[in-house]
């Protein structure tokens, strides 16, 4: 039990690493929280620091979800509940990082990393939904919300695992909750469009 608690703590602390903030400082952009939307995620880093920095942030934020879940699958191959809890811990680390006073990102990229391990087919379809919505309307937030809303159904379709479905509901709900300001801007017509 102690080992599993340590695993949860490690997953949270890995998830809490503010990759966008670190990368922005390394290239001399300063505190990314004071620029653009103020978010530490890949979209804001992309807008402020350019394509390469945004893609690097996306990759590292996804890795924060992928690595703890891979480790959990290795250590607890017969316990989907433990694997799901590790996934939730990594996700919460990104959204509420102890290093930044519990003010983090929105969780989309870290969720992507988690589901690349737990349900790659669900990721493939949700990426199609994300890409289609982004192409049609040019809103990253709307594309993220649509993909987040779809992925619990996709996980049920492809995986048929209660623990995985429940953690997916949690993660999806958190992604939508953390986009509430974006939802308000979408409804008012003031949300920023994505420019490639």
């Amino acid at each position: 039990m102690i080992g599993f608690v340590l695993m949860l703590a490690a997953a949270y602390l890995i998830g809490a690493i503010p990759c966008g903030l670190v990368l922005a400082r390394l290239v001399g952009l300063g505190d990314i929280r004071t620029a653009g939307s103020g978010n530490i995620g890949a979209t804001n880093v992309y807008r402020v620091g350019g394509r390469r920095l945004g893609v690097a942030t996306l990759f590292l934020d996804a890795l924060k979800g992928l690595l703890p879940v891979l480790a959990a699958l290795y250590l607890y191959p017969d316990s989907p509940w433990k694997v799901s809890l590790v996934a939730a811990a990594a996700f919460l680390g990104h959204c509420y990082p102890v290093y930044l006073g519990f003010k983090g990102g929105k969780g989309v990229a870290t969720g992507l990393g988690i589901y690349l391990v737990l349900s790659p087919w669900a990721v493939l379809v949700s990426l199609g939904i994300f890409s289609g919505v982004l192409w049609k309307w040019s809103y990253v937030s709307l594309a993220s919300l649509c993909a987040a809303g779809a992925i619990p159904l996709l996980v049920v379709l492809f995986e048929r695992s209660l623990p995985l479905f429940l953690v997916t509901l949690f993660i999806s709900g958190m992604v939508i909750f953390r986009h509430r300001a974006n939802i308000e801007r979408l409804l008012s017509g003031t949300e920023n469009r994505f420019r490639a």
Side-chain angles (χ1 to χ4, degrees), residues 124-150:
L124 185 64
V125 177
S126 65
L127 282 176
I129 293 169
F130 179 94
S131 300
V133 173
L134 183 61
W135 175 80
K136 178 69 175 176
W137 288 285
S138 299
Y139 292 115
V140 173
S141 56
L142 181 62
S144 299
L145 288 164
C146 290

Side-chain angles (χ1 to χ4, degrees), residues 7 21 32-34 39 99 104 112 123 130 142 148 165 183:
M7 181 71 198
L21 180 67
I32 194 68
R33 294 171 295 179
T34 64
N39 193 269
Y99 314 120
L112 170 65
V123 168
F130 179 94
L142 181 62
F165 173 65
I183 294 171

Side-chain angles (χ1 to χ4, degrees), residues 29-188:
L29 290 177
D31 191 338
I32 194 68
R33 294 171 295 179
T34 64
S37 68
N39 193 269
I40 64 170
T43 301
N44 192 44
V45 174
Y46 180 100
R47 287 192 179 117
V48 176
R51 185 189 303 255
R52 289 184 181 178
L53 205 61
V55 170
T57 301
L58 176 67
F59 174 78
L60 291 175
D61 279 348
L63 208 59
K64 296 189 312 185
L66 185 147
L67 292 178
V69 174
L70 275 180
L73 280 173
Y74 176 77
L75 293 171
Y76 312 108
D78 300 318
S79 181
W81 286 105
K82 287 183 177 179
V83 173
S84 296
L85 287 173
V86 168
F91 180 81
L92 283 172
H94 176 78
C95 295
Y96 301 101
V98 64
Y99 314 120
L100 301 180
F102 304 102
K103 296 178 181 178
K106 295 175 181 174
V108 176
T110 302
L112 170 65
I114 289 168
Y115 291 111
L116 280 172
V117 178
L118 296 183
S119 187
W121 285 109
V123 168
L124 185 64
V125 177
S126 65
L127 282 176
I129 293 169
F130 179 94
S131 300
V133 173
L134 183 61
W135 175 80
K136 178 69 175 176
W137 288 285
S138 299
Y139 292 115
V140 173
S141 56
L142 181 62
S144 299
L145 288 164
C146 290
I151 202 162
L153 300 175
L154 295 170
V155 165
V156 167
L157 177 65
F158 291 116
E159 306 303 330
R160 302 184 183 276
S161 163
L162 179 61
L164 182 51
F165 173 65
L166 291 177
V167 77
T168 302
L169 275 182
F170 169 72
I171 290 174
S172 178
M174 284 295 297
V175 167
I176 293 169
F177 172 74
R178 293 186 66 77
H179 277 83
R180 59 196 183 279
N182 302 85
I183 294 171
E184 291 177 5
R185 290 194 296 270
L186 284 166
L187 293 173
S188 66

